[in-house]
Amino acid sequence: MQENYLAKWLNNELSEEEVVKFKESKEYASYVKLREATDNLVGPDFDMAKAWEDLNKQKASKESKVVKLNPFKKYLSIAAAIALIFTATFLYYGTLNEEVSTQYAERAEIVLPDASEVQLNADSQISYSKKNWDNKRNIALNGEAYFKVAKGKRFTVTTENGTVTVLGTQFNVENRKGYFEVACYEGLVSVIYNKKEVKLPAGNSLVVINGEVQALEIPNIKEPSWIRNESNFKSIPLKYVLDEFQRQFNLEVATQNIDTEQLFTGSFSNTNKDLALQSISTPSQMKYKLEGNKVLFYAETP
Amino acid sequence: MKAIKEEHVCEDKVYASIFSTHSKTVFNYIYYKFGNEEKAYDVVQEAFIKLWENCSKVAPDKAKSYVYTIANNLYLNVIKAEKVRLKYAPGTNAVVNESPDFIMEEQEYKEKLERALQALPENQRTTFLLNRIDGKKYAEIADMEGVSVKAIEKRMHLALKTLREKIEGI
C-alpha cells in the first residue's frame, strides 16, 4: 500500500489493485462506516447576511480614517451606504410583524417559536418576526423584559439605547427613558452600547443612567426580582424608583420638596400597595398621601 | 481569454463577491480550530475588515489566501480551544423501519465519533472537517494551512486512522 492510502482512498485516488487489497483488509468495513457517518455531518450555523451587515457597520465607522484619492468615489460609497441603510431598515421593520405590549400594572409571558421564553414587565413592548424566526432571532424591546433563550443561533435584542446578543442564556433587559440596564443570569451576554461592546458573564449587570455606564455585580439570585413580584434597586436615583412604582401600580406619582436624584437602595412589593408605599417612603424619609389613583410624596418637616 | 483590465478588491462588487465566496469557509475553518461560534464570527469580521483596509495592496487572486492568513494569525493569538460540537443533517438517517437496537447503536456511534473528533489534534480535525463538511480539496486545504498537499494527506490519513481506533476502542 502506498503512503497515506486512507487519504487517497477517500479521494478515490487508489489504483484498482490497491482498492481490492484494501477491501480484503479487516478494517475496511470500519472505514466505510466512518465515511458514511461523516457524510451526514453539518457545520456550525453561519448567518452570512448578518455578518455582511455587521461588516458594513464596522467599515462605515473606519471609513473616515481612509484617505480617498478619488473624491467622486467617496460620494458613491456614501450613497451606497445610505441606500443600504434604507433597505436594511425597511427590511428590518417589515419583518417585525408580531407585537406584544403591556399596560401599567400588567404583565405578559410570551413563548417564542423556538421555545425561548420572554416575561414582559409593566408598560413594555416587544416585536419580532414569527415567520422569519428560524432564520433570525431578533427582538425589538421597549421597556423591561426577562429572557430565557433556548440554545441556538445568535439571539439579538435591539433597544434604542443598545443592542444585546447571546447564543443561549438567561438575562434581563430594562430600557426606559434615560435608563438602560442589562443583567446576565446565565451564560454570557454581549452588550453593544455606544458602539462599544461589553461582555457580561453570569452574575453581572451593566447599568447606564443618563449616559453614565456602571458595571455592577448582581446579587446571587437566579432571576430578576420582579419575576417574584418585587422591584429591587441598588443605588438608583429615586426618580427611576418612583417611575417603576408608577408602572407597577398604575398610579400617578407627584413629589413635593423632594430631591428625586438621591440614591435609593431597597425593594418594594409589586402586589401590596401600602407595603410598597412604606418601603419607598421610610428609607428616603418621605411622607405620602394617597388619594384615588394619585400619590403625593412630600418631605417630612421636622 | 483573461480580462485585460484587472479588477480591484476595493471595488464594492469584487469585495462583496470575495466575502460571499469565502466568509462561510473562514467561519467553519476557525470554528473547527476553536470550537467557539462567537469567536469564529469575530475572526471573520476582523479578517474581512483588514482586507478592506488593505484592499489597494491586495490583488484579487491573492485575497483568499490573505484572508486565511489573517484568520490563522488571529487564531494563534488565542490560547485555549473549546470543544467542537457538530450536528448531523436532519433526516439523512431516517429510515422508518429501523429496529430500536439499530437506532441506539447508531446514536452510540455518533456519540463516539463526536468524542473522537474532539480528541483529535487541532490540525487533523480541521483538515478532516474541511474535507468532509465543506468538501474542500486537499490542495485547497494545503493552501489555507500553508503546508504541502502531502502534509494534508498525512493529516487526513492519521485522522481516519485515529478516529477508527478511538471509536473501536483499540
Side-chain angles (χ1 to χ4, degrees), chain A residues 7 30 35 39-40 42 54, chain B residues 41 87 89 106 132 138 168:
Chain A
S30 332
R35 183 178 65 183
D39 270 342
N40 297 333
V42 244
D54 286 354
Chain B
Y41 189 88
K87 294 184 281 272
E106 284 297 284
R132 300 301 294 155
Y138 297 160
E168 287 173 6

Side-chain angles (χ1 to χ4, degrees), chain A residues 122-187:
Chain A
D123 184 27
S124 303
Q125 185 191 37
I126 57 165
S127 45
Y128 62 97
S129 161
K130 208 175 210 171
K131 238 185 4 211
N132 206 15
W133 188 257
D134 288 342
N135 275 323
K136 233 177 183 177
R137 303 202 293 174
N138 237 340
I139 279 197
L141 168 73
N142 215 326
E144 179 168 19
Y146 177 54
F147 297 90
K148 285 189 188 176
V149 178
K151 289 248 186 292
K153 279 190 196 164
R154 194 164 270 261
F155 185 103
T156 309
V157 180
T158 320
T159 76
E160 282 177 353
N161 280 318
T163 307
V164 186
T165 36
V166 297
L167 292 169
T169 108
Q170 300 187 13
F171 64 101
N172 189 63
V173 181
E174 182 169 8
N175 167 47
R176 306 283 189 192
K177 199 167 172 282
Y179 186 98
F180 180 57
E181 181 192 321
V182 181
C184 175
Y185 293 88
E186 194 188 289

Side-chain angles (χ1 to χ4, degrees), chain A residues 7 57 59 63 80 85 93 99 118 205 222 224 240 298:
Chain A
K57 274 186 220 151
K59 265 163 62 179
E63 200 91 309
I85 290 166
Y93 283 104
E99 242 184 60
V118 185
S205 73
K222 287 197 189 94
Y240 298 108
Y298 58 99

Side-chain angles (χ1 to χ4, degrees), chain A residues 8-273:
Chain A
K8 305 262 186 200
W9 164 70
L10 205 57
N11 217 12
N12 293 321
E13 282 174 16
L14 286 185
S15 68
E16 263 173 59
E17 302 95 81
E18 281 175 313
V19 173
V20 171
K21 203 172 149 204
F22 183 41
K23 277 186 181 166
E24 280 167 3
S25 72
K26 61 179 182 349
E27 313 96 51
Y28 180 69
S30 332
Y31 283 122
V32 170
K33 183 156 174 61
L34 186 57
R35 183 178 65 183
E36 275 169 11
T38 48
D39 270 342
N40 297 333
L41 276 179
V42 244
D45 294 322
F46 177 60
D47 188 343
M48 198 190 284
K50 182 172 177 351
W52 178 245
E53 212 178 283
D54 286 354
L55 188 61
N56 279 304
K57 274 186 220 151
Q58 282 196 50
K59 265 163 62 179
S61 65
K62 295 204 174 178
E63 200 91 309
S64 49
K65 288 183 207 154
V66 182
V67 181
K68 294 274 174 172
L69 295 175
N70 180 344
F72 183 60
K73 203 168 161 191
K74 187 166 103 191
Y75 297 118
L76 260 184
S77 60
I78 291 171
I82 292 172
L84 190 85
I85 290 166
F86 272 112
T87 335
T89 331
F90 176 75
L91 288 175
Y92 179 66
Y93 283 104
T95 54
L96 296 173
N97 49 14
E98 211 69 27
E99 242 184 60
V100 183
S101 58
T102 51
Q103 301 295 317
Y104 275 30
E106 198 186 44
R107 252 211 233 164
E109 216 180 303
I110 302 108
V111 178
L112 298 169
D114 64 346
S116 295
E117 286 170 39
V118 185
Q119 305 225 34
L120 207 55
N121 206 346
D123 184 27
S124 303
Q125 185 191 37
I126 57 165
S127 45
Y128 62 97
S129 161
K130 208 175 210 171
K131 238 185 4 211
N132 206 15
W133 188 257
D134 288 342
N135 275 323
K136 233 177 183 177
R137 303 202 293 174
N138 237 340
I139 279 197
L141 168 73
N142 215 326
E144 179 168 19
Y146 177 54
F147 297 90
K148 285 189 188 176
V149 178
K151 289 248 186 292
K153 279 190 196 164
R154 194 164 270 261
F155 185 103
T156 309
V157 180
T158 320
T159 76
E160 282 177 353
N161 280 318
T163 307
V164 186
T165 36
V166 297
L167 292 169
T169 108
Q170 300 187 13
F171 64 101
N172 189 63
V173 181
E174 182 169 8
N175 167 47
R176 306 283 189 192
K177 199 167 172 282
Y179 186 98
F180 180 57
E181 181 192 321
V182 181
C184 175
Y185 293 88
E186 194 188 289
L188 183 72
V189 173
S190 136
V191 185
I192 297 173
Y193 179 79
N194 236 340
K195 289 178 196 156
K196 261 193 273 167
E197 191 188 15
V198 182
K199 301 246 184 209
L200 279 185
N204 285 282
S205 73
L206 181 85
V207 182
V208 186
I209 298 176
N210 284 330
E212 204 178 301
V213 183
Q214 280 177 287
L216 296 171
E217 259 180 44
I218 49 174
N220 193 15
I221 45 174
K222 287 197 189 94
E223 54 192 14
S225 59
W226 64 267
I227 301 285
R228 288 177 285 111
N229 291 317
E230 207 178 80
S231 296
N232 219 322
F233 302 88
K234 201 176 165 195
S235 304
I236 300 296
L238 188 61
K239 63 177 181 193
Y240 298 108
V241 179
L242 295 178
D243 281 350
E244 186 63 34
F245 176 74
Q246 197 165 274
R247 280 190 289 267
Q248 292 298 340
F249 290 100
N250 192 14
L251 290 170
E252 245 176 71
V253 172
T255 58
Q256 203 174 50
N257 298 332
I258 283 175
D259 172 19
T260 55
E261 295 294 334
Q262 65 171 296
L263 299 182
F264 178 91
T265 298
S267 58
F268 65 78
S269 159
N270 293 347
T271 47
N272 186 329
K273 197 193 300 169

Side-chain angles (χ1 to χ4, degrees), chain B residues 128-170:
Chain B
F128 183 78
L129 294 177
L130 278 172
N131 175 264
R132 300 301 294 155
I133 295 178
D134 301 82
K136 293 289 163 205
K137 301 270 186 306
Y138 297 160
E140 287 175 273
I141 303 171
D143 235 20
M144 289 181 200
E145 296 273 62
V147 295
S148 67
V149 176
K150 196 161 178 200
I152 293 299
E153 287 177 348
K154 181 101 217 158
R155 289 179 191 179
M156 198 66 190
H157 180 86
L158 287 175
L160 277 157
K161 196 161 163 274
T162 320
L163 286 174
R164 180 188 146 251
E165 287 168 358
K166 276 263 163 54
I167 290 168
E168 287 173 6
I170 298 169

Side-chain angles (χ1 to χ4, degrees), chain B residues 7-83:
Chain B
E7 284 182 309
H8 215 276
V9 181
C10 298
E11 278 170 49
D12 284 343
K13 210 178 69 198
V14 179
Y15 181 77
S17 93
I18 294 170
F19 181 85
S20 64
T21 329
H22 300 299
S23 60
K24 185 171 168 56
T25 316
V26 175
F27 178 82
N28 285 2
Y29 177 57
I30 296 300
Y31 179 76
Y32 301 148
K33 290 171 178 260
F34 268 144
N36 182 318
E37 286 185 69
E38 244 172 289
K39 289 214 183 87
Y41 189 88
D42 293 346
V43 167
V44 171
Q45 294 284 327
E46 222 165 307
F48 278 94
I49 278 289
K50 283 265 155 58
L51 176 65
W52 178 252
E53 286 173 342
N54 296 304
C55 64
S56 56
K57 295 172 218 154
V58 184
D61 57 327
K62 294 281 186 305
K64 180 183 163 191
S65 59
Y66 181 83
V67 168
Y68 283 113
T69 310
I70 290 182
N72 235 326
N73 290 347
L74 290 171
Y75 161 73
L76 290 174
N77 289 333
V78 176
I79 315 146
K80 193 169 158 276
E82 292 172 27
K83 283 180 180 171

